[in-house]
């Protein structure tokens, strides 16, 4: 425990990090525990890269790490209770291990700030969403000064993607194209924690994709709070479609995915880019949130169900095999049975391959938390159960249509919880569906690619129990077998400058920017 608690909140536009500060290389182990969304997962890869560059080593599974970092979420229900409960369990471990440090970052740290150290005074470092690059220096300073360091920047100074990253997967990687969000959805606290949207330059994005492919990565997912508003900073509303096409020109990149688009910004050129670029997967995750126009207005979702379903129709006309998934909130304040029936109707019409369904709960700091007509828990639960039952029926029906089809599976780790007892392996088809398959006499490695025929459909996965038709060994499989994870240097020198960006490289079907 610290001899004193010195809390330092950094005001907007100023950093306490002196340029001549240097880290002392020590062999200390680290562990990162990630809560929340894909953005948090990708930020954790950056944190791992930073710590390893500073001389830390990843802790073994059964080892008590010298440094435990929590990358937190403020969106999920009871996020703060989960964090403080976990910190409480760590307190006696820290007391018994001299020199152990605990750091808390991410969205909850940005929101709660010095409250974290007040409630858990054994925490050494608190850092925000805008300054993950400060973590190694803050840890060193906390050790040297023997007091907690709290540094929260109010605005982004450096793109996270300009930082090194130790990737979790040898075959699949996240590539952030933007950070922050310009939308004002009443249920969401993300804009206030991650700030306004900042777009990376297309050249920086493509350079990072190329660096991953050079390491053997076969699949990338372009990541942003609202990917299809990409280009807003440099004035090109068609930038995202161009970026998809440009990714298609990178040799060795076999699969491109993206998450998440917003229906209000969805343009026909993105559908064309998906359909015409072979490496772009025919998979679309597009949040609906509600099938009631009245609720969409209350949520400040600037589209209506007619537009949403129109996008779905256009996607399916261009790509009949597309798997479309969504997010839905049940029980938003003021939702009536009629509103909920509207959601069920849209689910029936859209025929989602799967859906992430959420029961609305208050999030302090959001406008929706102050709305009247908050629904009783029992009402929300009953509607939620009906929605889940309908979507499960829909998912199973669509999966049954896959039986007998040949699917290409990128072999993965951790996707099949029962693989050991079923003697199967698992991975994702190009449309994102989970496939459990029988590997044959010689098992492929994670990162290899097999083609196999679907023999059975369950509500949430497919099974392919015959001998694989083909098995292709890959560089990703070689590196996965050798235990080598990609490590990428930072790409880009900070925030984008204003004005027109450098043009995207010329590729077939891609208009000059």
């Amino acid at each position: 425990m610290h001899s004193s608690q010195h809390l330092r909140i950094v005001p907007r536009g100023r950093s306490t990090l002196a340029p001549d500060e240097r880290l002392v290389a020590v062999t200390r182990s680290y562990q990162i525990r990630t809560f929340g969304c894909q953005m948090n997962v990708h930020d954790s890869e950056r944190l791992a890269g930073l710590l390893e560059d500073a001389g830390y080593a990843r802790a073994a599974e059964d080892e008590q790490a010298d440094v435990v970092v929590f990358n937190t979420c403020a969106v999920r229900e009871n996020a703060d209770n989960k964090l403080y409960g976990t910190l409480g369990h760590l307190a006696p471990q820290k007391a018994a291990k001299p020199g152990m440090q605990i750091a808390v970052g991410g969205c909850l740290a940005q929101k709660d700030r010095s409250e974290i150290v007040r409630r858990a005074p054994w925490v050494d470092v608190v850092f925000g969403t805008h300054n993950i690059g400060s973590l190694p220096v803050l840890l060193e300073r906390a050790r040297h000064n023997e007091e907690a360091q709290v540094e929260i920047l109010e605005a982004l100074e450096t793109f996270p993607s300009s930082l090194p990253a130790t990737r979790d997967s040898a075959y699949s990687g996240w590539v952030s194209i933007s950070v922050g969000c310009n939308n004002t959805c009443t249920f969401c606290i993300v804009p206030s924690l991650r700030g306004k949207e900042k777009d990376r330059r297309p050249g920086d994005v493509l350079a990072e994709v190329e660096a991953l492919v050079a390491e053997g990565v076969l699949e990338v997912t372009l990541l942003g709070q609202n990917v299809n508003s990409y280009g807003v900073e440099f004035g090109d509303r068609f930038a995202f479609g161009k970026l998809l096409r440009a990714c298609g020109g990178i040799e060795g990149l076999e699969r491109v995915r993206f998450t998440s688009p917003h229906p209000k910004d969805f343009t026909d050129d993105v559908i064309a880019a998906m359909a015409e670029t072979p490496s772009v997967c025919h998979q679309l995750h597009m949040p609906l949130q509600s099938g009631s126009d009245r609720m969409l207005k209350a949520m400040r979702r600037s589209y209506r169900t007619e537009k949403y379903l129109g996008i779905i129709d256009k996607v399916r006309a261009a790509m009949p095999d597309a798997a479309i998934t969504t997010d839905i909130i049940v029980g938003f304040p003021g939702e009536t049975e009629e509103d909920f029936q509207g959601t069920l109707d849209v689910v029936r019409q859209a025929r989602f391959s799967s859906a992430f369904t959420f029961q609305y709960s208050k999030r302090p700091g959001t406008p929706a938390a102050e709305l009247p007509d908050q629904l009783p828990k029992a009402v929300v639960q009953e509607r939620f159960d009906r929605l889940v039952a309908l979507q499960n029926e829909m998912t199973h029906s669509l999966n049954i249509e896959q039986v007998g089809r040949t699917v290409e599976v990128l072999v993965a780790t951790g996707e099949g919880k029962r693989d050991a007892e079923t003697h199967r392996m698992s991975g994702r088809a190009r449309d994102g569906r989970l496939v459990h398959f029988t590997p044959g006499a010689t098992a492929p490695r994670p990162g290899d690619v097999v083609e196999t025929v679907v023999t059975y459909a369950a509500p949430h996965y497919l099974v392919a129990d015959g001998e694989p038709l083909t098995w292709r060994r890959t560089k990703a499989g070689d590196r996965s077998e050798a235990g080598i994870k990609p490590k990428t240097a930072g790409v880009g020198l900070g925030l984008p400058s204003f004005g027109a960006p450098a043009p995207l490289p010329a590729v077939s079907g891609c208009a000059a920017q």
Side-chain angles (χ1 to χ4, degrees):
M1 191 168 296
H2 307 295
S3 55
S4 63
Q5 299 301 331
H6 177 58
L7 308 183
R8 309 197 305 151
I9 307 297
V10 180
R12 180 184 183 89
R14 183 168 66 85
S15 172
T16 60
L17 305 186
D20 59 345
E21 287 186 274
R22 297 292 184 267
L23 300 181
V24 178
V26 292
T27 306
R28 288 168 61 82
S29 62
Y30 76 89
Q31 178 191 64
I32 300 174
R33 303 186 189 181
T34 307
F35 306 140
C37 66
Q38 297 98 328
M39 194 70 75
N40 287 48
V41 172
H42 186 37
D43 283 349
S44 290
E45 293 183 329
R46 301 284 173 199
L47 293 170
L50 285 162
L51 290 172
E52 290 179 12
D53 274 8
Y56 295 80
R58 190 185 296 265
E61 289 287 337
D62 57 349
E63 178 185 358
Q64 176 59 62
D66 296 308
V67 174
V68 179
V69 183
F70 292 92
N71 191 8
T72 64
C73 171
V75 176
R76 304 298 172 91
E77 187 174 6
N78 297 322
D80 52 349
N81 291 337
K82 182 175 182 180
L83 172 67
Y84 292 119
T86 307
L87 290 175
H89 289 305
L90 271 185
Q93 297 177 38
K94 182 178 180 184
K97 185 178 174 69
M100 180 180 172
Q101 289 184 293
I102 299 172
V104 179
C107 290
L108 193 64
Q110 188 79 21
K111 181 173 75 74
D112 281 6
R113 305 175 179 230
S114 56
E115 176 71 7
I116 292 173
V117 178
R118 188 190 70 79
R119 293 181 60 176
W122 52 92
V123 169
D124 300 89
V125 170
V126 179
F127 61 101
T129 59
H130 299 313
N131 62 316
I132 64 175
S134 304
L135 176 60
V137 166
L138 294 173
L139 287 167
E140 180 66 19
R141 191 180 294 161
R143 282 195 297 271
H144 181 270
N145 295 349
E146 296 186 342
E147 59 187 20
Q149 303 295 308
V150 177
E151 181 170 284
I152 306 292
L153 298 186
E154 295 296 347
L156 191 70
E157 288 192 338
T158 303
F159 257 118
S161 302
S162 68
L163 305 171
T166 299
R167 308 289 180 149
D168 286 337
S169 168
Y171 46 85
S172 182
W174 304 102
V175 175
S176 178
I177 68 171
S178 64
V179 294
C181 183
N182 292 341
N183 295 312
T184 58
C185 303
T186 55
F187 55 80
C188 185
I189 199 171
V190 166
S192 66
L193 300 180
R194 291 195 177 264
K196 292 293 185 180
E197 180 174 328
K198 297 289 185 181
D199 293 333
R200 295 178 69 193
R201 295 291 154 170
D204 286 351
V205 174
L206 295 173
E208 185 175 348
V209 174
E210 289 169 347
L212 285 169
V213 173
E215 293 274 328
V217 168
L218 300 175
E219 174 185 272
V220 298
T221 301
L222 304 178
L223 186 62
Q225 300 295 155
N226 178 8
V227 290
N228 56 329
S229 67
Y230 176 72
V232 65
E233 271 205 302
F234 45 83
D236 185 354
R237 65 188 297 262
F238 299 113
F240 185 59
K242 294 174 184 177
L243 186 63
L244 290 177
R245 293 183 187 274
C247 286
I250 297 175
E251 186 176 354
L253 179 60
E254 299 189 12
R255 296 182 176 189
V256 179
R257 306 186 192 277
F258 57 89
T259 192
S260 291
H262 193 296
K264 79 176 178 65
D265 297 310
F266 214 97
T267 51
D268 291 349
D269 67 298
V270 170
I271 298 173
M274 292 176 67
E276 296 165 9
T277 310
S279 61
V280 178
C281 295
H282 292 180
Q283 174 195 9
L284 175 64
H285 181 80
M286 189 167 66
L288 168 66
Q289 306 304 3
S290 175
S292 161
D293 287 349
R294 196 176 73 87
M295 287 294 96
L296 291 174
K297 183 178 180 180
M299 292 176 174
R300 289 190 202 149
R301 301 286 290 179
S302 46
Y303 57 89
R304 298 298 177 256
T305 54
E306 182 179 2
K307 176 172 182 175
Y308 186 95
L309 289 169
I311 295 170
I312 300 293
D313 289 342
K314 289 179 180 179
V315 169
R316 290 223 166 94
M319 295 166 284
D321 62 337
I324 300 172
T325 59
T326 196
D327 297 332
I328 300 174
I329 297 172
V330 177
F332 190 79
E335 181 188 74
T336 65
E337 177 62 24
E338 181 181 2
D339 293 321
F340 178 66
Q341 285 297 328
T343 296
L344 297 182
D345 289 342
V346 173
V347 167
R348 293 185 186 99
Q349 293 177 68
R351 301 181 74 237
F352 297 116
S353 299
S354 64
F356 295 93
T357 51
F358 305 92
Q359 297 185 42
Y360 173 80
S361 59
K362 284 187 177 182
R363 294 291 182 272
T366 63
E370 306 303 320
L371 289 176
D373 301 323
Q374 303 280 333
L375 271 61
K377 170 67 174 175
V379 172
V380 178
Q381 182 68 54
E382 190 273 337
R383 290 178 185 171
F384 178 80
D385 291 343
R386 276 191 282 158
L387 173 62
V388 169
L390 174 62
Q391 182 55 56
N392 284 347
E393 178 184 334
M394 189 74 64
T395 300
H396 195 192
S397 174
L398 292 171
N399 279 355
I400 289 172
E401 294 178 8
Q402 302 296 312
V403 175
R405 295 182 181 177
T406 298
V407 291
E408 179 195 87
V409 180
L410 176 57
V411 184
T413 54
E415 293 277 21
K417 297 178 181 179
R418 298 177 58 236
D419 281 353
E421 60 185 274
T422 60
H423 305 292
R424 296 187 181 113
M425 299 185 73
S426 300
R428 295 281 171 177
R430 291 188 64 84
D431 65 5
R433 284 184 169 91
L434 177 61
V435 181
H436 304 301
F437 67 94
T438 302
T442 305
R445 297 88 46 90
D448 286 345
V449 178
V450 302
E451 286 186 314
T452 187
V453 177
V454 177
T455 57
Y456 171 76
H460 299 294
Y461 59 85
L462 304 174
V463 174
D465 270 341
E467 186 83 11
L469 303 178
T470 64
W471 166 25
R472 176 160 54 88
R473 297 173 69 90
T474 67
K475 181 178 178 180
D478 295 340
R479 294 172 72 87
S480 182
E481 186 176 36
I484 301 172
K485 292 186 176 181
K487 183 164 185 180
T488 51
V491 177
L493 300 176
L495 290 179
S497 57
F498 290 98
L504 289 164
V507 295
S508 175
C510 180
Q513 188 169 6

